[in-house]
Amino acid sequence: MTIKVMAVFGTRPEAIKMAPVIQEMRKYPGQFDVKVAVTAQHREMLDQVMRLFAIEPDYDLNLMQAGQTLEDITSRVLQGMAGVYRQEQPAMVLVHGDTTTTFAAALAAYYAQIPVGHVEAGLRTGNKYAPFPEEINRRLTGALAELHLAPTLQARENLLREGVAEKSIHVTGNTVVDALLATVREPCQFSDPALVSLDPNLRWLLVTAHRRENWGEPMEQTFLALKDLLGQFPDTGVLFPVHKNPRVRELAEYILGGIPRCLLVEPMDYLPFVHLMHRCYLVLTDSGGMQEEAPALGKPVLVLRDTTERPEAIAAGTVKLVGTSRRRVFEEAALLLRDKEAYARMATAVNPYGDGQAARRTAEALLYHFGRSASPPDPWLP
């Protein structure tokens, strides 16, 4: 009898990280019956990842609405997934990470008394408001889960300190590395004329910024630092796929619009974005996933946040936490632009997040959890 596993996700980062797991489970047709439900918490950005990885959802709640609040998303996911679970009765619900979809889908599964498996479990900052609402989403999901698929030993230690049973934790590596390594091998042609004609003689700084806790003054400080860098380093350009949120977009246009060597472009599909990351010189981001992705491509990362749930990269030397002050962001980026040795130390440090086998370990952990395998998967050790 096959194990019916329902993978639930709603945003682009979740889709990227869950796609390798879905594809891996489908290599075991006699073991897994895989169902996919998407909430479409982020509609457009989710769909292009689904197309890239050739995943068709069995259920699509299509929840995204203009101006949606966290309360809106939570209640609609909770109600929508309740009906899906009643119909499918899966043996396990698999969720990923820390989005509102993650928590609400896990809570709905708990109400239906369906076991929850948590991919990318155990990440913590210790500050429930940073990142917001992700820190609490993942803590609450962890409290509901029966199977914890931790990406690193540090994540495992976090779970053990919280009283999670050791036998329910498996260290898999992060599935984003699986997705990244598969995607960077795919051929890609940029469709945006601005990207097609990128000056190869410039050192391009790839920037992403969207976090709620950075809206307003922190983001303004960051954008001013980018403006300063462009003024001081004529051999450097800024490439910024601007988030669709109006609060981010309006501020970016106001401070950075029209500046030479600063390209403000639309949010990009995952395939061209990976290739752009591969071509860039340096990454500045407040994203979580890029702290894992860019080091796998040998790109130093400056994290535009005051806290991170991914301390492994800082310890390894691939990532530096720089906050959002104009002076600090400028100084840290300038150091890497001026000092070749400092740049090389970050660019050549070992990525602590995976070897491209996390999805395999995840499938093996599921088989072990359900008694289909006599031994757990070998843990990921950098």
Side-chain angles (χ1 to χ4, degrees), residues 286-327:
D286 62 10
S287 165
M290 287 186 72
Q291 297 175 51
E292 301 153 345
E293 292 171 306
L297 298 175
K299 307 300 175 180
V301 182
L302 299 181
V303 180
L304 306 171
R305 290 162 54 179
D306 296 319
T307 61
T308 182
E309 62 279 35
R310 293 167 171 87
E312 299 90 350
I314 294 175
T318 63
V319 163
K320 186 177 286 188
L321 199 65
V322 301
T324 56
S325 82
R326 180 178 185 175
R327 180 176 177 179

Side-chain angles (χ1 to χ4, degrees), residues 92-132:
M92 175 165 281
V93 168
L94 210 58
V95 296
H96 175 277
D98 54 21
T99 70
T100 302
T101 285
T102 302
F103 164 57
L107 183 59
Y110 167 74
Y111 287 160
Q113 298 188 33
I114 299 169
V116 173
H118 189 193
V119 179
E120 199 181 80
L123 278 65
R124 300 289 186 269
T125 65
N127 181 344
K128 67 181 180 181
Y129 292 111
F132 175 86

Side-chain angles (χ1 to χ4, degrees), residues 215-284:
W215 290 353
E217 177 69 17
M219 202 165 282
E220 179 179 347
Q221 289 285 304
T222 298
F223 294 168
L224 288 170
L226 295 174
K227 186 176 180 180
D228 296 339
L229 288 165
L230 289 166
Q232 290 290 320
F233 295 92
D235 65 340
T236 298
V238 166
L239 183 51
F240 184 2
V242 184
H243 198 276
K244 288 184 177 293
N245 187 289
R247 298 186 67 170
V248 178
R249 184 158 291 216
E250 290 168 9
L251 190 61
E253 290 285 354
Y254 177 71
I255 296 175
L256 297 171
I259 296 177
R261 294 177 282 111
C262 184
L263 298 180
L264 304 181
V265 298
E266 290 300 310
M268 301 168 63
D269 289 356
Y270 185 60
L271 177 62
F273 186 76
V274 166
H275 281 262
L276 197 62
M277 191 164 25
H278 188 51
R279 289 181 57 180
C280 80
Y281 186 78
L282 172 65
V283 171
L284 296 95

